[in-house]
């Protein structure tokens, strides 16, 4: 178990944690972790762990066994990384390259997609639930475990095309699910 302690960090490092000014700051480990900074080892090296989409995380995981950069080795992480980024056709390939290189060395977390409840606008105690067999219904009170009540934006867009949604603007009825309430 890692000992909880305070860290002294310099002005360059603190800009990511707050808007404070000065030269040296004392910051708790908890405050750093909340902002995505983690201590790698007991030597107190502090790094920013990157947040990746599931697709990018799958790429990193599939290629972690490769050496990062080896001129003699055609199958290296950096070569695979260039092929992957070129195949994605992104607007800013250098930013994605840097992010995935940091993930190789520092580790990563997977970005959780936002989820939403659909609440009736005239009765805020009713939530849309969808059973596994596709039946839609609105329940009283909190969302039920008998059906799915949390939906991604992509799912909401697909649901909007369903004839049962005729006359409902599901995007206007959506309410973001708090992080503590997220279903897997």
């Amino acid at each position: 178990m890692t000992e909880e302690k305070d860290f002294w960090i310099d002005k360059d490092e603190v800009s990511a944690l707050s808007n404070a000014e000065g030269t040296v700051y004392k910051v708790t480990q908890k405050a750093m972790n909340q902002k995505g900074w983690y201590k790698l080892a007991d030597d107190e090296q502090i790094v920013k762990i990157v947040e990746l989409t599931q697709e990018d995380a799958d790429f990193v995981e599939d290629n972690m066994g490769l050496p990062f950069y080896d001129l003699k080795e055609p199958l290296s992480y950096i070569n695979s990384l260039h092929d992957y980024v070129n195949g994605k056709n992104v607007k800013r390939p250098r930013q994605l390259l840097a992010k995935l290189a940091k993930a190789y060395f520092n580790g990563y977390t997977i970005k959780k997609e936002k989820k939403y409840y659909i609440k009736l606008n005239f009765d805020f105690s009713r939530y849309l639930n969808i059973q596994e067999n596709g039946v839609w219904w609105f329940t009283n009170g909190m969302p039920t475990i008998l059906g799915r009540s949390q939906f991604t934006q992509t799912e909401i867009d697909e649901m909007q095309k369903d004839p049962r949604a005729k006359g409902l603007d599901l995007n206007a009825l959506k309410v973001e699910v708090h992080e503590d309430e997220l279903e897997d």
Side-chain angles (χ1 to χ4, degrees), residues 10-151:
D10 64 29
K11 185 175 182 176
D12 296 334
E13 294 168 323
V14 83
S15 65
L17 296 173
S18 70
N19 293 328
E21 293 187 20
T23 55
V24 179
Y25 305 92
K26 189 175 183 180
V27 179
T28 65
Q29 184 174 343
K30 182 179 179 182
M32 290 176 44
N33 293 355
Q34 288 174 339
K35 296 290 186 174
W37 291 82
Y38 294 90
K39 185 174 87 163
L40 286 183
D42 289 334
D43 67 357
E44 297 185 5
Q45 180 181 3
I46 302 166
V47 297
K48 176 81 170 174
I49 293 182
V50 295
E51 190 174 61
L52 302 176
T53 64
Q54 183 63 52
E55 181 184 2
D56 292 343
D58 290 343
F59 167 80
V60 172
E61 196 60 37
D62 292 344
N63 292 281
M64 281 298 269
L66 297 175
F68 183 77
Y69 185 77
D70 186 350
L71 293 174
K72 298 175 186 172
E73 178 63 55
L75 286 177
S76 67
Y77 184 82
I78 198 72
N79 290 336
S80 299
L81 180 58
H82 280 283
D83 293 343
Y84 175 74
V85 171
N86 289 339
K88 286 192 71 139
N89 197 20
V90 294
K91 290 181 182 177
R92 296 187 172 139
R94 286 186 180 193
Q95 286 182 344
L96 183 57
L97 282 168
K99 188 181 211 181
L100 294 174
K102 284 181 184 177
Y104 181 89
F105 291 109
N106 298 343
Y108 61 90
T109 59
I110 298 173
K111 184 177 185 175
K112 291 184 178 180
E113 192 172 0
K114 286 185 181 179
K115 291 194 175 181
Y116 304 92
Y117 294 121
I118 305 295
K119 290 174 102 176
L120 287 178
N121 58 353
F122 57 86
D123 185 353
F124 290 109
S125 66
R126 293 186 176 264
Y127 293 84
L128 174 64
N129 283 267
I130 299 181
Q131 287 182 319
E132 287 182 22
N133 62 6
V135 173
W136 290 25
W137 84 98
F138 285 91
T139 59
N140 287 332
M142 290 304 291
T144 178
I145 59 172
L146 300 176
R148 289 191 51 235
S149 59
Q150 298 179 5
F151 309 100

